[in-house]
Amino acid sequence: MMKTTLAQFIKEKRKQARMKQEDLSFAAGVGLRFVRELEQGKPTLKMDKVNQVLNLFGYELGPIEVNRDEESKSTLPR
């Protein structure tokens, strides 16, 4: 299964909705600079603003399990 980054996901959803970055920023109530940074994959973003954008498309941030080697899995609580 191919993993999609958050940046790719947002950009694809925006394009499917036939929106420009300016349209998305207005509709989500975030700044244009934020949308640009989000789509460029900036590693530090405010989660509440990311959720504002994701909510337009029916999504929200959530925990995703990552693959780890067996040794590190056994030391972490579930």
Side-chain angles (χ1 to χ4, degrees), residues 54-78:
L54 286 171
N55 283 333
L56 287 176
F57 305 115
Y59 293 87
E60 67 181 18
L61 290 175
I64 298 174
E65 186 173 351
V66 295
N67 292 329
R68 297 195 172 138
D69 61 18
E70 290 303 317
E71 185 177 316
S72 65
K73 280 185 181 179
S74 64
T75 61
L76 297 175
R78 290 223 176 221

Side-chain angles (χ1 to χ4, degrees), residues 4-14 54 57 59:
T4 302
T5 67
L6 180 61
Q8 292 170 321
F9 181 81
I10 295 295
K11 190 171 187 176
E12 287 172 14
K13 289 294 182 185
R14 176 178 62 78
L54 286 171
F57 305 115
Y59 293 87

Side-chain angles (χ1 to χ4, degrees), residues 29-76:
V30 299
L32 177 57
R33 180 177 175 175
F34 179 82
V35 171
R36 288 181 176 154
E37 290 175 344
L38 175 59
E39 288 191 1
Q40 291 172 1
K42 182 179 178 190
T44 56
L45 294 167
K46 292 189 175 213
M47 289 191 294
D48 60 333
K49 287 187 174 187
V50 173
N51 274 326
Q52 281 178 247
V53 174
L54 286 171
N55 283 333
L56 287 176
F57 305 115
Y59 293 87
E60 67 181 18
L61 290 175
I64 298 174
E65 186 173 351
V66 295
N67 292 329
R68 297 195 172 138
D69 61 18
E70 290 303 317
E71 185 177 316
S72 65
K73 280 185 181 179
S74 64
T75 61
L76 297 175

Side-chain angles (χ1 to χ4, degrees), residues 18-32:
R18 296 185 174 169
M19 299 174 89
K20 297 178 183 177
Q21 287 180 331
E22 294 86 356
D23 302 327
L24 179 58
S25 69
F26 181 77
V30 299
L32 177 57

